[in-house]
Amino acid sequence: MNKKTKFNLLYSMIRMRMVEERISSEYSNQQMRCPVHLSVGQEAISSGICLNLKDKDQVFSAHRSHFHYLAKGGNLKQMISELFGKETGCAGGKGGSMHLIDIKAGLIAAVPIVGSTIPIGVGLAWANKLNRSNKVVVIFFGEGATEEGVFYESINFAALHNLPILFVCENNYYSVYSNIKNRQPTNRKISNVSKSMGVESYRMNGNKVEEIFTKTQKMIHSIRKNNKPILIELSTYRVLEHCGPNNDDHLNYRNKKELKRWLNNCPIEKYKEHLLKQKVLSNEELKKVYQKIDKEISQSFDFAKKSKFPKKDKLFKYIYAD
Amino acid sequence: MNKKTKFNLLYSMIRMRMVEERISSEYSNQQMRCPVHLSVGQEAISSGICLNLKDKDQVFSAHRSHFHYLAKGGNLKQMISELFGKETGCAGGKGGSMHLIDIKAGLIAAVPIVGSTIPIGVGLAWANKLNRSNKVVVIFFGEGATEEGVFYESINFAALHNLPILFVCENNYYSVYSNIKNRQPTNRKISNVSKSMGVESYRMNGNKVEEIFTKTQKMIHSIRKNNKPILIELSTYRVLEHCGPNNDDHLNYRNKKELKRWLNNCPIEKYKEHLLKQKVLSNEELKKVYQKIDKEISQSFDFAKKSKFPKKDKLFKYIYAD
Amino acid sequence: MQTKIKNKNRNINYAEAINEALLQSMKLDKKVVVMGLGVDDPKRIFGTTNNLFEVFGKDRVFDMPTSENAITGFAIGMSLGKFKPVLCHQRVEFALLTMDQIINQAAKWFYMNNGQMNVPIVIRLIIGRGWGQGPQHSQSLENLFAGIPGLKVVSPSSAYDAKGMLISSIADKDPVIFFEHRWLHSTYSQVPNKFYKIPIGKSKIAKKGKDVTIVSSSYMTIESMKASEILKNYYIDAEVVDLRTLRPLDVNPIIKSVNKTKKLLVVDNGWTQYGISSEVITKVTTHKNFDKNIIVSRVGIADTPIPSTRSLAKLCYPDCVDICMQISKILNKNFSGLSSRFKNYRASDTPNKYFTGPF
Amino acid sequence: MQTKIKNKNRNINYAEAINEALLQSMKLDKKVVVMGLGVDDPKRIFGTTNNLFEVFGKDRVFDMPTSENAITGFAIGMSLGKFKPVLCHQRVEFALLTMDQIINQAAKWFYMNNGQMNVPIVIRLIIGRGWGQGPQHSQSLENLFAGIPGLKVVSPSSAYDAKGMLISSIADKDPVIFFEHRWLHSTYSQVPNKFYKIPIGKSKIAKKGKDVTIVSSSYMTIESMKASEILKNYYIDAEVVDLRTLRPLDVNPIIKSVNKTKKLLVVDNGWTQYGISSEVITKVTTHKNFDKNIIVSRVGIADTPIPSTRSLAKLCYPDCVDICMQISKILNKNFSGLSSRFKNYRASDTPNKYFTGPF
Ligand SMILES: Cc1ncc(C[n+]2csc(CCOP(=O)(O)OP(=O)(O)O)c2C)c(N)n1
Ligand SMILES: Cc1ncc(C[n+]2csc(CCOP(=O)(O)OP(=O)(O)O)c2C)c(N)n1
Ligand SMILES: [Mg+2]
Ligand SMILES: [Mg+2]
């Protein structure tokens, strides 16, 4: 792997983290008045995967969508404006954090009904195959979404029709406050289920960005070439509360040891040290990275704050296209 | 296996077959005015399984419900009356063939929305477990039902909570006119999927009644003892049309060879010859069996025909219990 | 020349009209695809998908697994990839498995992405009735869809309208729920051979009249028309308005009609309470020009699950005689001998005398 | 003695009232169980399931996988095994995944087995609003359930009614859809400590009056009551009828009220078209004793998906000032300075000033 790629992976993760840290710190000003599901801790997955995608490839997300949006090249100003409910937002303020979209960048949709983008992504991949467009569709979802029946209906169809899709299950072991052991039998692996249903499937460490990048590079290549779906299940951890800007570990729903282990397993810190040691970048360059991103973020927040709210005439606009 | 059991298995299958043959021949009189899904060819499965059940055990079925009803001891007169739409029917005429029920016998429900009884059966098994009633719930469904998301949601929950259920998938390779290869990836086994989801699972020949009886006897014992679900997938074949009284092979939706192979593989004929050879019963006794069943069926049809239609005052009865 | 005349006057039935709309739309636009359980099977959805597989092949006509919820999602996704999917459920009830995809997703997609991507899909829902199909295969349920902003809901009552409205629905840029009543499939009307559109959102005066306004849709328009024939025997000249579209509801022709007749009977094709009739009547009575001398009234399907047995099921559905009886009430007139004289007009458990089950 | 007085006058909020109904029902009847995503988590469904897990343990309080469709089926099955399940979805929208189990199965079970097995389940559905929740977390959708025979649908507007009606719903032998509006959870009223029932199927005169009848339900009753206060400033004495139950609809008190006031405004808690208001108005205008001088009218939520941004979302919901404006129209009176004088009464995107997001 070349230095540039390594740098890009780190840069992507740091940028994501800093964007959400800013959202977190500004949220209490009560100007971003919409539910936000922050992904801090899960940076490696979307960074590692999306760097392998072409512009024309298409990504679907769900309620926890910021990183997928950013990794696929979604416009930051429009994202922050959307959180502020402004007309310059990526959905004109109509969607909020749970409905990010940047069609040009290939972030096709995010919706907060758990599991609901999965069949839609499959449908688009089907269209792509029929259109011979050689695009890959990537569908991100949590382990909670694999409890919805529509997940299986979708997997079955993708396998039946050999559709070019990468299914990405970010298993962070929690659905809201509920541990996976209260929702799925212990010792069973989601990737084994999908494999038994006819989809090539793998498990992976979700906090190791290089490994994710390298492995999914091959997979995406294979999907594009062979028109066959692959599913990957990645273990990871959400650091902040399920919904909202804060930390909620005072609620004690997560085992202290488990929490500590995962917090020590930060995908960014380890990788940063590694790259510094490997001299991929210097401490100085790193500082510049932070400064650059910080500036970009500040500009985006300024842009959002200065933008206008949509006016009354927009209320009934776009209910129908015809 | 003792002679009595062998005799009972054969008797059960012959009776089922004769009941449906009578329905088939009388249907054109247009007195049974409701959709009927006949199961001719699939006698071995419900006969083999239900002979192992206790009275208190509970069975759920779907649109193709006649055999499950009969095997669990459902009242024949009430079943035929239900098909005739009479007030003496097992559902007072309100349900028809697709809604058979005999609570006393333990046939709890049948509904024609594919897959919809599966979670309900799981819920009852859950109640049974909490009630420590030591009952086994058997849920019958076709391979088409395993394409519905609710099947997976149900399997997951049964495995998670270790519920005493026997899931029975009657894989007759068709959903209406659609071959399984158009709906599920080839080379994948439903029983492998359920196994990967955490439910002990087996495949079996669905036309060998003794094998079914013996194997499921052990399973039902184990379910009752260990409070754990088991799924079995049985290969079988529907002889008549999907819905209605006739044969529809002139429509050529089924491969001729396949059809011939299955028709030669009749679960009753082979077993009958076998028992005659084994001298479990004589030709004479067999003749008496036919006569006895024939009489029972004629009486049931007479009963149904003589019964009255429900009157107007029943229309708004039982919409609410309170 | 001869063909032209022949075509102009040709009678075809509703199922054939649907089929023609599909064939012609698929020929015209390569992006139109048809999907659903059984679309390519020997019965071809009551004949409505005849020949599609033969003409357009397996890349445009898709049988489906029994996965109703996902199927709508697939259709939405297909439409994002520039296809125009027409999907079909053989009973309205099966769509209850996919209400999330229809109501949360398809209906809101265009709005929630601020007009960047629309969802041009058609979902055909077939309403069952009769032959003992019972509680889970006989529901109408138009009201579950008609109340949802972002959906269009149509429900044509004649072969002519069915063809033109299906063509419009397929050409439409928004998700359209297309209701077909199973008992309409075998009804005939004159249908041009050519490709034509009937606009979504326009009701139709099915019969002109001056004494009473009957508003209905789908199969109930057949009964309403029969009722208007019966009423002639009593020197009552009824105007029949066929809604054709349930959302958006075209209320002006109704207002115009009731301002003339001063009497309104809405015949609901679904359950009586909380149905289409409630909205029609409310639109009329809250209209700014509402004339307070207008009498409004409705009949609909009895508010009960539909039982299987024909002795009870037939009591659920209002027929032309029931409609006349209701009109006798609002006109305060006695139609002597109504039920005995027109007893052959009463609905049974089959759409016509050739029907011998099972669906 | 003192406790008694204290209890009699104690103010608790709607969430606490729900919680009390659950605690007391579970204490009284061992067969009552509570299930749903998050019922035992730290937030306890906005506090409504507080202490249940601690008091009744893991055999009666169940967290669930994200499998909404199956969950209703499990509840039906549990009820066949003599349990009385109360299940909860944190947003109405999640119930769209389980409409087959609710409408095809639960609603018809008792009827289609001819009265042999009833299904006593309660499904709590929480209506979201505000704080930018947007199109998929702010729908009301009462009309999807109110039109279904076999279901009962309730929607109490005060803590007092919530407790009594939840107790009744749990004791009821039929499937009950229990709507809670998220903005009601923090509203207070006097609630007795004791176990009491408010009957399903009875509306309530929330305020007596003589000039105009306002009919509403759920959160809109709060706005209607505020409106009735504002109207006093203009010497208008409004009567407010709180529906409380949407199916079966209790129409007689409304008829009585409008016969007195001759003016009806129905304030819909859902979208304006094809909603609860349509049925209420139709019930009134088709009533056999309908006095033709009565003016009927309605307001409701704007017919659009609800946008996230507060600048547009607030335009969707009628508030007390909008209600007064509508009344000024039907009374043909000018309420001078209405919108400037009462601008502090206008609804915002939070239920109260203490609310700081995110849900
Ligand atoms: C159909 C549905 N059910 C429930 C919810 C409530 N909900 C919102 S996010 C969430 C957690 C889902 O967990 P997972 O898929 O693992 O994603 P994560 O939050 O861990 O990223 C739930 C249950 C919902 N939005 N949609
Ligand atoms: C939800 C739903 N979708 C579609 C149908 C139409 N349908 C009735 S029976 C049937 C076949 C189901 O196949 P399978 O489960 O294999 O049962 P089999 O008929 O082979 O016994 C279908 C698709 C239905 N009744 N319900
Ligand atoms: Mg998770
Ligand atoms: Mg089958």
Side-chain angles (χ1 to χ4, degrees):
Chain A
M1 190 187 297
N2 63 30
K3 280 192 175 184
K4 180 94 180 90
T5 304
K6 290 180 187 214
F7 177 84
N8 286 343
L9 289 171
L10 182 64
Y11 188 94
S12 164
M13 292 200 295
I14 292 177
R15 181 167 174 263
M16 286 171 174
R17 171 79 54 104
M18 288 174 71
V19 167
E20 288 208 337
E21 279 173 347
R22 185 74 68 90
I23 293 171
S24 173
S25 71
E26 292 231 12
Y27 196 80
S28 61
N29 297 334
Q30 303 207 33
Q31 291 186 287
M32 287 176 275
R33 291 166 92 94
C34 65
V36 291
H37 299 81
L38 303 184
S39 317
V40 171
Q42 306 186 191
E43 290 84 356
I45 296 173
S46 26
S47 296
I49 292 169
C50 292
L51 207 63
N52 287 314
L53 295 178
K54 304 191 179 183
D55 284 353
K56 69 174 181 180
D57 293 334
Q58 294 155 323
V59 165
F60 284 82
S61 178
H63 56 288
R64 199 175 302 290
S65 61
H66 298 173
F67 287 0
H68 310 137
Y69 177 95
L70 293 173
K72 191 64 177 65
N75 182 298
L76 182 60
K77 283 182 179 159
Q78 290 181 12
M79 168 179 151
I80 303 300
S81 297
E82 189 62 33
L83 270 58
F84 276 78
K86 299 300 179 71
E87 62 174 6
T88 52
C90 58
K94 282 177 172 166
S97 161
M98 305 194 293
H99 293 279
L100 294 188
I101 177 172
D102 189 331
I103 298 180
K104 242 170 56 190
L107 194 294
I108 304 301
V111 304
I113 305 293
V114 169
S116 288
T117 31
I118 300 176
I120 301 176
V122 170
L124 181 51
W126 189 20
N128 290 340
K129 188 177 174 185
L130 293 168
N131 285 336
R132 292 172 218 285
S133 66
N134 208 22
K135 293 176 189 171
V136 170
V137 167
V138 181
I139 309 175
F140 289 96
F141 51 90
E143 89 293 343
T146 70
E147 293 149 20
E148 292 287 0
V150 79
F151 167 70
Y152 301 89
E153 296 182 353
S154 302
I155 287 281
N156 178 52
F157 197 79
L160 177 69
H161 283 273
N162 292 318
L163 302 179
I165 306 169
L166 181 65
F167 292 99
V168 182
C169 176
E170 299 187 50
N171 184 349
N172 62 9
Y173 301 97
Y174 286 85
S175 165
V176 193
Y177 301 103
S178 177
N179 187 284
I180 189 171
K181 74 175 193 303
N182 299 319
R183 299 175 283 117
Q184 301 182 21
T186 34
N187 300 327
R188 91 126 183 259
K189 301 286 164 270
I190 291 161
S191 49
N192 280 348
V193 177
S194 52
K195 186 187 285 171
S196 77
M197 292 187 73
V199 172
E200 193 181 323
S201 304
Y202 304 92
R203 292 189 78 220
M204 243 181 261
N205 185 326
N207 281 18
K208 297 203 162 167
V209 72
E210 272 196 16
E211 197 182 312
I212 295 170
F213 174 83
T214 321
K215 288 189 177 166
T216 59
Q217 187 171 43
K218 286 198 197 102
M219 291 176 194
I220 289 165
H221 188 73
S222 135
I223 293 167
R224 205 183 305 278
K225 206 176 125 198
N226 306 322
N227 262 332
K228 275 198 181 165
I230 294 179
L231 180 143
I232 48 175
E233 176 190 358
L234 302 110
S235 53
T236 185
Y237 214 65
R238 146 174 73 72
V239 170
L240 300 176
E241 64 185 333
H242 165 69
C243 178
N246 303 312
N247 184 304
D248 66 353
D249 285 316
H250 60 284
L251 296 174
N252 286 320
Y253 65 101
R254 302 199 286 199
N255 178 290
K256 286 243 156 53
K257 261 196 208 155
E258 170 193 293
L259 189 64
K260 209 171 150 191
R261 182 159 47 83
W262 278 103
L263 292 183
N264 284 336
N265 188 12
C266 172
I268 300 181
E269 283 312 310
K270 288 220 167 135
Y271 195 56
K272 198 164 66 185
E273 279 160 38
H274 177 68
L275 293 201
L276 286 170
K277 216 180 280 171
Q278 279 205 331
K279 303 216 191 306
V280 173
L281 82 174
S282 65
N283 262 315
E284 199 131 310
E285 286 166 319
L286 188 60
K287 214 171 142 189
K288 274 192 197 141
V289 163
Y290 280 105
Q291 283 168 350
K292 186 180 162 195
I293 296 175
D294 194 69
K295 195 170 154 196
E296 186 200 4
I297 293 174
S298 294
Q299 284 171 346
S300 298
F301 273 78
D302 286 348
F303 176 83
K305 286 175 191 171
K306 277 187 203 135
S307 293
K308 296 210 172 81
F309 283 107
K311 297 239 170 59
K312 209 171 171 157
D313 62 302
K314 295 292 190 320
L315 180 59
F316 293 106
K317 209 162 173 183
Y318 303 130
I319 303 175
Y320 296 102
D322 246 346
Chain B
M1 192 188 295
N2 63 31
K3 280 192 174 182
K4 178 96 180 88
T5 305
K6 291 181 186 215
F7 178 84
N8 285 345
L9 288 171
L10 182 65
Y11 189 94
S12 164
M13 293 200 295
I14 292 177
R15 181 167 174 263
M16 287 173 174
R17 171 79 52 105
M18 287 174 72
V19 167
E20 287 209 336
E21 279 173 348
R22 185 75 68 90
I23 293 171
S24 173
S25 70
E26 292 232 10
Y27 197 80
S28 61
N29 297 335
Q30 303 207 33
Q31 290 186 288
M32 286 176 276
R33 291 166 93 94
C34 65
V36 290
H37 299 81
L38 304 184
S39 316
V40 171
Q42 306 186 190
E43 290 83 357
I45 296 172
S46 26
S47 296
I49 292 169
C50 293
L51 206 64
N52 287 313
L53 295 178
K54 303 190 180 185
D55 284 353
K56 68 174 182 180
D57 293 335
Q58 294 154 324
V59 165
F60 284 82
S61 178
H63 56 287
R64 200 174 303 287
S65 62
H66 298 172
F67 288 0
H68 310 137
Y69 177 96
L70 292 173
K72 192 62 177 67
N75 182 298
L76 182 60
K77 281 183 181 161
Q78 291 181 12
M79 169 179 151
I80 304 300
S81 297
E82 189 62 32
L83 270 58
F84 276 79
K86 300 298 180 73
E87 62 173 7
T88 52
C90 58
K94 282 178 172 165
S97 161
M98 305 195 291
H99 292 279
L100 295 188
I101 178 173
D102 189 331
I103 298 179
K104 243 171 53 193
L107 193 293
I108 304 301
V111 305
I113 305 294
V114 169
S116 288
T117 30
I118 301 176
I120 301 176
V122 170
L124 181 51
W126 189 20
N128 290 340
K129 187 177 175 187
L130 293 168
N131 285 335
R132 293 171 216 285
S133 65
N134 209 22
K135 294 176 187 170
V136 170
V137 167
V138 181
I139 309 175
F140 289 96
F141 50 90
E143 89 294 342
T146 70
E147 293 149 19
E148 292 286 359
V150 79
F151 167 70
Y152 301 89
E153 297 182 354
S154 302
I155 287 281
N156 178 50
F157 197 79
L160 177 68
H161 283 274
N162 293 317
L163 301 180
I165 305 168
L166 181 65
F167 293 98
V168 182
C169 176
E170 299 187 50
N171 185 349
N172 62 10
Y173 301 96
Y174 286 85
S175 165
V176 193
Y177 300 103
S178 177
N179 187 285
I180 189 170
K181 75 174 193 302
N182 299 320
R183 300 175 283 118
Q184 301 182 21
T186 33
N187 299 327
R188 90 126 183 261
K189 300 288 164 271
I190 291 161
S191 48
N192 280 348
V193 177
S194 52
K195 186 186 285 172
S196 77
M197 292 188 75
V199 172
E200 193 181 322
S201 303
Y202 303 93
R203 293 189 78 222
M204 246 181 258
N205 185 326
N207 281 15
K208 296 203 163 165
V209 71
E210 271 195 16
E211 197 182 314
I212 296 170
F213 174 83
T214 322
K215 288 189 177 166
T216 59
Q217 186 172 44
K218 286 199 197 102
M219 291 176 193
I220 289 164
H221 189 73
S222 136
I223 293 167
R224 207 184 302 277
K225 206 176 127 199
N226 307 322
N227 262 333
K228 276 197 181 164
I230 293 178
L231 180 145
I232 48 175
E233 176 189 357
L234 303 108
S235 54
T236 185
Y237 213 66
R238 147 174 73 70
V239 170
L240 300 176
E241 64 185 333
H242 164 70
C243 178
N246 303 313
N247 184 305
D248 65 353
D249 285 315
H250 60 283
L251 297 174
N252 285 321
Y253 65 101
R254 302 199 285 199
N255 178 291
K256 287 244 156 55
K257 261 197 208 153
E258 170 192 294
L259 188 65
K260 207 170 153 193
R261 181 159 47 85
W262 279 102
L263 293 183
N264 284 336
N265 187 13
C266 172
I268 300 180
E269 283 312 311
K270 289 222 167 130
Y271 196 55
K272 198 164 65 184
E273 280 161 36
H274 177 67
L275 293 201
L276 286 170
K277 216 180 281 170
Q278 278 205 331
K279 303 216 189 310
V280 173
L281 81 174
S282 66
N283 263 316
E284 198 129 312
E285 285 166 320
L286 188 62
K287 213 171 146 188
K288 272 192 197 142
V289 163
Y290 281 105
Q291 283 166 350
K292 186 178 161 196
I293 296 174
D294 194 69
K295 194 169 156 198
E296 186 200 4
I297 294 173
S298 295
Q299 283 171 346
S300 299
F301 273 77
D302 287 348
F303 176 83
K305 287 175 190 171
K306 276 187 202 134
S307 294
K308 295 209 173 81
F309 282 107
K311 296 242 170 57
K312 209 172 171 156
D313 63 303
K314 295 292 190 318
L315 180 60
F316 292 106
K317 208 164 175 185
Y318 302 129
I319 302 175
Y320 296 102
D322 246 349
Chain C
M1 188 64 197
Q2 223 192 326
T3 357
K4 212 171 165 188
I5 290 168
K6 199 175 145 206
N7 284 344
K8 255 193 184 161
N9 295 302
R10 84 211 171 104
N11 263 312
I12 65 173
N13 73 27
Y14 194 108
E16 290 163 336
I18 295 282
N19 186 230
E20 227 171 64
L22 290 170
L23 272 163
Q24 293 180 357
S25 296
M26 291 179 82
K27 260 190 195 141
L28 198 79
D29 183 349
K30 281 200 176 116
K31 289 298 184 187
V32 177
V33 294
V34 166
M35 57 173 85
L37 280 73
V39 290
D40 63 353
D41 79 14
K43 293 279 173 79
R44 302 290 167 105
I45 318 282
F46 314 115
T48 59
T49 59
N50 279 346
N51 298 316
L52 301 184
F53 187 80
E54 288 70 12
V55 175
F56 304 106
K58 69 176 181 40
D59 272 3
R60 294 182 64 194
V61 181
F62 307 98
D63 188 21
M64 283 280 163
T66 323
S67 310
E68 283 81 3
N69 191 17
I71 291 175
T72 312
F74 302 154
I76 296 173
M78 286 283 272
S79 81
L80 303 180
K82 305 295 176 211
F83 284 90
K84 295 180 148 241
V86 182
L87 73 86
C88 180
H89 297 293
Q90 302 211 24
R91 282 297 173 289
V92 177
E93 281 84 351
F94 309 160
L96 292 180
L97 286 156
T98 180
M99 296 304 264
D100 166 50
Q101 289 292 331
I102 297 176
I103 294 181
N104 287 332
Q105 310 306 336
K108 298 173 176 53
W109 201 265
F110 187 63
Y111 190 80
M112 68 198 183
N113 65 43
N114 203 30
Q116 298 177 72
M117 278 187 301
N118 59 314
V119 173
I121 64 175
V122 178
I123 303 180
R124 296 172 51 203
L125 298 183
I126 299 174
I127 301 171
R129 175 173 171 180
W131 201 265
Q133 293 179 68
Q136 300 186 349
H137 276 54
S138 317
Q139 293 171 86
S140 301
L141 302 180
E142 295 100 324
N143 54 340
L144 300 195
F145 304 91
I148 307 297
L151 296 181
K152 292 173 181 168
V153 182
V154 303
S155 188
S157 70
S158 70
Y160 175 78
D161 284 345
K163 178 173 172 185
M165 294 191 82
L166 184 51
I167 286 174
S168 291
S169 301
I170 294 171
D172 200 274
K173 295 190 176 124
D174 297 305
V176 180
I177 311 295
F178 190 96
F179 277 96
E180 296 166 35
H181 194 290
R182 183 68 188 102
W183 283 20
L184 290 173
H185 280 149
S186 51
T187 62
Y188 283 77
S189 65
Q190 283 194 20
V191 176
N193 203 353
K194 68 165 194 264
F195 182 87
Y196 64 93
K197 290 182 184 175
I198 309 273
I200 294 175
K202 293 270 167 247
S203 59
K204 170 164 96 174
I205 308 294
K207 177 188 168 299
K208 277 205 166 297
K210 58 180 185 7
D211 299 326
V212 58
T213 303
I214 307 176
V215 174
S216 64
S217 66
S218 188
Y219 178 73
M220 281 303 160
T221 299
I222 306 285
E223 294 293 338
S224 301
M225 290 299 282
K226 282 193 218 160
S228 76
E229 289 301 312
I230 294 177
L231 288 170
K232 285 181 185 165
N233 293 284
Y234 300 97
Y235 309 102
I236 305 294
D237 184 14
E239 179 146 307
V240 179
V241 182
D242 184 12
L243 290 171
R244 301 202 292 193
T245 304
L246 308 177
R247 186 180 192 94
L249 196 58
D250 182 25
V251 77
N252 286 333
I254 301 171
I255 301 288
K256 226 167 145 182
S257 178
V258 291
N259 278 340
K260 177 173 65 181
T261 64
K262 309 292 180 207
K263 314 265 179 311
L264 171 65
L265 173 66
V266 187
V267 184
D268 208 313
N269 193 55
W271 283 310
T272 310
Q273 287 186 80
Y274 288 107
I276 304 304
S277 56
S278 326
E279 181 60 21
V280 171
I281 289 176
T282 299
K283 277 247 164 58
V284 169
T285 56
T286 61
H287 195 271
K288 59 183 188 303
N289 299 328
F290 180 63
D291 172 346
K292 62 187 184 180
N293 292 310
I294 294 168
I295 297 173
V296 299
S297 158
R298 66 173 166 184
V299 290
I301 296 177
D303 278 302
T304 169
I306 310 297
S308 173
T309 179
R310 60 191 176 287
S311 78
L312 298 179
K314 71 174 182 208
L315 302 173
C316 296
Y317 296 95
D319 62 22
C320 53
V321 175
D322 297 309
I323 293 170
C324 292
M325 264 147 50
Q326 187 66 18
I327 286 173
S328 96
K329 266 192 216 161
I330 60 178
L331 294 180
N332 211 351
K333 278 205 172 126
N334 181 17
F335 298 156
S336 69
L338 178 67
S339 36
S340 57
R341 197 167 150 199
F342 296 97
K343 66 167 179 278
N344 292 340
Y345 282 66
R346 303 232 67 151
S348 82
D349 68 334
T350 59
N352 55 56
K353 61 176 187 253
Y354 310 107
F355 186 93
T356 58
F359 266 128
Chain D
M1 190 61 197
Q2 223 190 325
T3 358
K4 212 171 164 187
I5 290 166
K6 202 175 142 205
N7 285 345
K8 257 194 185 161
N9 294 302
R10 84 211 171 102
N11 263 312
I12 65 173
N13 72 28
Y14 194 109
E16 290 163 335
I18 295 281
N19 186 228
E20 229 170 62
L22 290 170
L23 273 162
Q24 293 180 356
S25 296
M26 291 180 81
K27 264 193 191 135
L28 198 80
D29 182 349
K30 283 202 175 115
K31 289 300 183 186
V32 177
V33 294
V34 166
M35 58 173 84
L37 279 73
V39 291
D40 63 353
D41 80 14
K43 293 280 173 76
R44 302 289 167 105
I45 319 281
F46 313 116
T48 60
T49 58
N50 279 346
N51 297 316
L52 301 184
F53 187 79
E54 288 71 12
V55 175
F56 304 107
K58 67 174 182 41
D59 272 4
R60 295 182 62 194
V61 181
F62 307 98
D63 187 20
M64 283 279 163
T66 322
S67 309
E68 283 80 5
N69 192 17
I71 291 176
T72 311
F74 302 155
I76 296 173
M78 285 283 271
S79 82
L80 303 180
K82 303 295 175 213
F83 284 90
K84 293 179 149 240
V86 182
L87 74 86
C88 180
H89 297 292
Q90 303 211 24
R91 282 297 174 289
V92 177
E93 281 84 350
F94 309 159
L96 292 180
L97 286 155
T98 178
M99 296 304 263
D100 166 51
Q101 289 293 330
I102 297 177
I103 294 181
N104 287 333
Q105 310 306 335
K108 298 173 175 55
W109 201 265
F110 187 61
Y111 189 81
M112 69 199 183
N113 66 43
N114 203 30
Q116 298 179 70
M117 277 187 301
N118 58 313
V119 173
I121 65 175
V122 178
I123 304 180
R124 295 172 52 204
L125 299 182
I126 300 175
I127 301 171
R129 173 171 172 183
W131 201 265
Q133 292 179 68
Q136 300 186 350
H137 276 54
S138 318
Q139 292 171 86
S140 301
L141 301 180
E142 294 100 324
N143 53 341
L144 299 195
F145 304 91
I148 307 298
L151 296 180
K152 292 173 182 169
V153 182
V154 304
S155 188
S157 71
S158 70
Y160 175 79
D161 283 345
K163 179 173 170 183
M165 294 190 81
L166 185 50
I167 286 175
S168 292
S169 301
I170 294 171
D172 200 275
K173 295 191 177 125
D174 298 305
V176 180
I177 312 295
F178 190 95
F179 278 96
E180 297 165 34
H181 195 289
R182 182 72 187 98
W183 283 20
L184 290 173
H185 281 149
S186 51
T187 61
Y188 283 77
S189 65
Q190 284 194 18
V191 176
N193 203 351
K194 67 164 196 264
F195 181 87
Y196 63 92
K197 290 182 183 173
I198 308 272
I200 294 175
K202 292 271 168 247
S203 59
K204 169 164 96 174
I205 308 295
K207 177 188 167 298
K208 278 207 167 295
K210 59 181 183 6
D211 299 327
V212 58
T213 303
I214 308 176
V215 173
S216 64
S217 66
S218 188
Y219 178 73
M220 281 303 160
T221 298
I222 306 284
E223 295 292 339
S224 300
M225 290 298 281
K226 283 192 217 161
S228 75
E229 289 301 312
I230 294 177
L231 288 170
K232 284 180 185 167
N233 293 282
Y234 299 97
Y235 310 101
I236 304 294
D237 184 15
E239 179 146 307
V240 179
V241 182
D242 184 12
L243 289 172
R244 300 201 294 192
T245 304
L246 308 177
R247 186 179 193 98
L249 197 57
D250 182 24
V251 78
N252 286 334
I254 302 171
I255 301 287
K256 227 167 145 180
S257 179
V258 292
N259 278 341
K260 178 172 65 181
T261 64
K262 308 293 180 207
K263 314 264 178 313
L264 170 66
L265 173 66
V266 187
V267 183
D268 207 311
N269 193 57
W271 283 310
T272 310
Q273 289 187 77
Y274 288 106
I276 304 303
S277 57
S278 326
E279 181 61 20
V280 171
I281 289 177
T282 298
K283 277 245 163 59
V284 168
T285 56
T286 60
H287 195 271
K288 60 183 187 303
N289 298 328
F290 180 63
D291 171 346
K292 63 186 182 179
N293 292 309
I294 294 168
I295 297 174
V296 298
S297 160
R298 66 173 167 183
V299 291
I301 296 178
D303 277 302
T304 169
I306 309 297
S308 174
T309 179
R310 60 192 178 286
S311 79
L312 298 179
K314 71 175 181 206
L315 303 173
C316 296
Y317 296 95
D319 62 20
C320 52
V321 175
D322 298 308
I323 292 170
C324 293
M325 265 148 50
Q326 187 67 19
I327 287 173
S328 96
K329 264 192 218 159
I330 59 177
L331 294 181
N332 211 352
K333 279 205 171 125
N334 182 18
F335 298 156
S336 70
L338 178 69
S339 37
S340 57
R341 198 168 149 198
F342 297 96
K343 66 168 179 281
N344 292 339
Y345 282 66
R346 302 231 70 150
S348 83
D349 68 334
T350 60
N352 55 58
K353 59 175 188 251
Y354 310 106
F355 186 94
T356 59
F359 267 129

